[in-house]
Amino acid sequence: MRTEIDLNQLPISLVGESTPEPLLYAFQRKASAHAGGGAIPISADLFNERFSSVSSETTQISKHRCLYVHIPFCRVRCTYCNFFQHASSKQLVQEYFDALLVELKWKAQLAWTQAAPFHAVYIGGGTPTDLTADQIEQLGKAIRSQFPLTPDCEITLEGRINRFDEEMFDKSLEGGFNRFSFGVQSFNTKVRRSAKRLDDKEYVLRRIQELSDSEQAPIVVDLLYGLPYQTSEIWQQDLNDFLETNAHGVDLYQLIEMGGTPMKGMIDKGKLPQPASTEEKAYMYKYGVEFMNKHHLNRLSVNHWARSNRERSIYNSLAKTTAEVLPVGCGAGGNLGGVGIMQHRTLDAYIQSIKAQQMPIAMMTQSASSAGLFSMIKAGFDRGVLSRKSLLQQTSEDVYQYLMPLFKQWQNNGLVKVNADYLSLTLAGEFWAVTLAQSVISALSMTNKQPVFNEHAA
């Protein structure tokens, strides 16, 4: 194996541009919300056999495991969303919920499930808070009673602040949920309305503050920057509004313009103004980072901060590593024993599978031998620090040293600072973190590097 990568083999799209302003122009644009590596599809006729094999294993191949439960309903589709699945209706939600509890019981009884405790549970969507208060309580109690959980297991309920009243909050707590994540996106009423977000600024501010001040569980809000009508002044006010709510944590995500969204169609028809450019979003990110530093919030990742040490963001951190994730529900995805699993995304297919007493698997993949290494690369860039030691835990080859010419070029470009043991991201590197992670994964794949992987790496 060559001791160092040859930069001449890599396209400029991976290396990036040498520019006086790397925050703005190091790459053309952020094309994806997450980095990814290759996996090999598994034939549909082998789904049952492979799932039975990995789910009957009791040997722990990872130190951490999570449970992900998907609720595929939204009463209103946000204009920027490319993941909308089903509109909510009382009857349809109840039919789905009944099937979900059946699958949850099946998954809880697996030998793999009972072999070790779960460190984090995440109820995502969709909009999980489109369930009724009683359903949320029932779901939480079912998870707590049927699954082995660590004593400090983080159990997150994601959703909207709309209709999240005191009854729903109390019953969520009764069900055992101990963390709540709300997709606020922007507090500004005009920006919210244009994105089809429900409720105006005053209500959202007041309700988040009420929940936070109760101190019964960590309250986390997601903010999105780059939306139509969201000027830099509005973005700055969004951050001040977050601070005013006393929420325990915040995610700052940039708008990724994906084809097929209602927003794209409305912009094309002139019904919405253009969203922020990459350069404008870079400045918004810079302001956000400086704002968090000014107010001394604790940084957990390149886009997540905690105002209080009660906010730990365990699921989001573990899901980017080698942790195994057990998926439950229509549209849920996860991985067990080196096998990736994506469940049926349509309600009909999902419910019919449950009625036929079959696991609702739509797609399976065999993770590449490099999956653990790629996960550690993604996790490192998400934290803002890539450790040579963490990569050596995944492979006996010194991948960090092999990539050093690329790292030094990025250092020259103002994206990273690198020494013999650690690569740390600059502000510009943090903005382009996903692009850098994908570039490393692509570079390793393109140069046909075949590292020798540690047998028990996790």
Side-chain angles (χ1 to χ4, degrees):
M1 184 192 78
R2 295 183 304 279
T3 57
E4 291 187 336
I5 195 170
D6 182 0
L7 289 184
N8 293 322
Q9 288 188 319
L10 302 180
I12 193 68
S13 60
L14 299 188
V15 179
E17 301 282 354
S18 179
T19 167
E21 297 187 88
L23 175 68
L24 306 182
Y25 305 118
F27 297 91
Q28 289 189 356
R29 66 187 181 92
K30 180 180 177 181
S32 171
H34 306 286
I40 304 169
I42 295 174
S43 175
D45 60 344
L46 297 176
F47 286 178
N48 291 336
E49 177 186 334
R50 293 304 303 276
F51 183 81
S52 177
S53 175
V54 296
S55 64
S56 62
E57 280 287 336
T58 57
T59 303
Q60 197 171 350
I61 71 167
S62 173
K63 294 179 181 178
H64 301 101
R65 51 172 54 190
C66 305
L67 173 65
Y68 177 78
V69 180
H70 195 72
I71 308 298
F73 297 102
C74 294
R75 284 189 295 113
V76 176
R77 181 181 184 179
C78 300
T79 59
Y80 54 81
C81 181
N82 209 25
F83 304 104
F84 179 82
Q85 290 177 264
H86 304 282
S88 300
S89 74
K90 185 175 181 180
Q91 180 178 346
L92 196 59
V93 170
Q94 184 62 57
E95 185 179 7
Y96 173 72
F97 187 72
D98 291 341
L100 182 72
L101 292 181
V102 171
E103 188 198 355
L104 202 67
K105 185 175 182 180
W106 291 350
K107 294 286 177 70
Q109 294 172 343
L110 298 174
W112 178 91
T113 299
Q114 295 298 324
F118 289 74
H119 297 82
V121 177
Y122 197 95
I123 314 300
T127 309
T129 51
D130 276 1
L131 297 176
T132 67
D134 287 336
Q135 287 170 337
I136 289 173
E137 179 182 11
Q138 188 178 355
L139 176 60
K141 287 182 175 179
I143 291 169
R144 279 198 168 272
S145 65
Q146 297 177 37
F147 286 78
L149 308 177
T150 60
D152 66 341
C153 183
E154 175 191 272
I155 308 178
T156 300
L157 180 68
E158 180 186 75
R160 298 178 190 257
I161 205 67
N162 179 263
R163 297 188 181 179
F164 194 82
D165 57 17
E166 284 304 306
E167 180 190 15
M168 185 168 286
F169 189 38
D170 289 342
K171 291 202 171 184
S172 299
L173 295 169
E174 283 293 319
F177 291 99
N178 54 26
R179 182 178 182 267
F180 297 84
S181 178
F182 295 104
V184 172
Q185 317 315 352
S186 174
F187 289 97
N188 183 272
T189 299
K190 184 176 182 179
V191 175
R192 292 178 58 81
R193 295 300 188 200
S194 71
K196 300 298 183 185
R197 301 298 295 176
L198 302 170
D199 299 317
D200 58 19
K201 174 179 177 174
E202 288 70 24
Y203 174 78
V204 176
L205 267 173
R206 183 177 70 253
R207 188 66 186 128
I208 292 288
Q209 189 167 34
E210 289 171 350
L211 295 170
S212 302
D213 290 347
S214 76
E215 290 294 347
Q216 296 191 76
I219 305 298
V220 181
V221 300
D222 290 347
L223 294 179
L224 196 60
Y225 58 93
L227 289 162
Y229 298 117
Q230 190 183 37
T231 63
S232 58
E233 291 77 18
I234 288 175
W235 172 240
Q236 292 170 22
Q237 186 59 49
D238 279 335
L239 296 172
N240 284 314
D241 290 339
F242 150 71
L243 211 59
E244 184 181 332
T245 66
N246 293 325
H248 301 85
V250 62
D251 285 291
L252 306 184
Y253 294 122
Q254 67 166 294
L255 176 68
I256 304 296
E257 296 128 55
M258 294 178 286
T261 63
M263 178 178 289
K264 177 71 164 54
M266 294 172 75
I267 291 170
D268 291 344
K269 294 176 182 177
K271 295 182 178 180
L272 280 179
Q274 288 289 336
S277 65
T278 294
E279 293 87 348
E280 289 169 328
K281 287 187 288 190
Y283 279 126
M284 295 169 94
Y285 178 77
K286 179 176 184 288
Y287 184 88
V289 172
E290 292 172 347
F291 180 91
M292 298 302 164
N293 291 339
K294 175 183 176 181
H295 293 285
H296 303 284
L297 274 73
N298 181 32
R299 194 167 196 176
L300 302 183
S301 77
V302 296
N303 57 17
H304 188 77
W305 287 262
R307 184 184 61 82
S308 162
N309 60 11
R310 296 187 69 190
E311 162 57 356
R312 300 175 296 164
S313 192
I314 294 177
Y315 178 86
N316 290 326
S317 297
L318 291 181
K320 296 182 177 76
T321 68
T322 56
E324 293 176 276
V325 179
L326 179 65
V328 177
C330 176
N335 65 91
L336 274 69
V339 173
I341 300 169
M342 176 57 68
Q343 307 217 136
H344 289 305
R345 290 183 59 83
T346 64
L347 277 176
D348 285 345
Y350 174 81
I351 292 174
Q352 287 305 314
S353 290
I354 300 301
K355 288 181 177 178
Q357 298 188 325
Q358 296 176 349
M359 289 295 175
I361 300 171
M363 183 173 68
M364 294 184 80
T365 57
Q366 179 63 52
S367 300
S369 60
S370 53
L373 174 65
F374 291 172
S375 292
M376 296 311 296
I377 289 170
K378 290 184 286 185
F381 280 97
D382 183 66
R383 288 194 304 271
V385 178
L386 187 66
S387 161
R388 183 181 188 178
K389 182 178 179 181
S390 69
L391 300 187
L392 284 171
Q393 291 174 348
Q394 297 299 320
T395 170
S396 57
E397 303 286 0
D398 195 344
V399 172
Y400 186 92
Q401 184 59 40
Y402 175 76
L403 292 165
M404 188 58 71
L406 179 59
F407 293 163
K408 287 183 176 178
Q409 183 61 52
W410 282 345
Q411 182 169 256
N412 292 337
N413 291 357
L415 296 166
V416 306
K417 294 180 180 179
V418 66
N419 59 34
D421 298 306
Y422 295 100
L423 175 146
S424 57
L425 302 183
T426 63
L427 174 67
E430 291 166 353
F431 178 70
W432 294 106
V434 172
T435 302
L436 295 178
Q438 187 62 65
S439 294
V440 168
I441 291 171
S442 298
L444 291 174
S445 302
M446 288 177 62
T447 55
N448 296 316
K449 185 175 182 301
Q450 299 295 330
V452 178
F453 292 91
N454 293 334
E455 183 179 352
H456 300 294

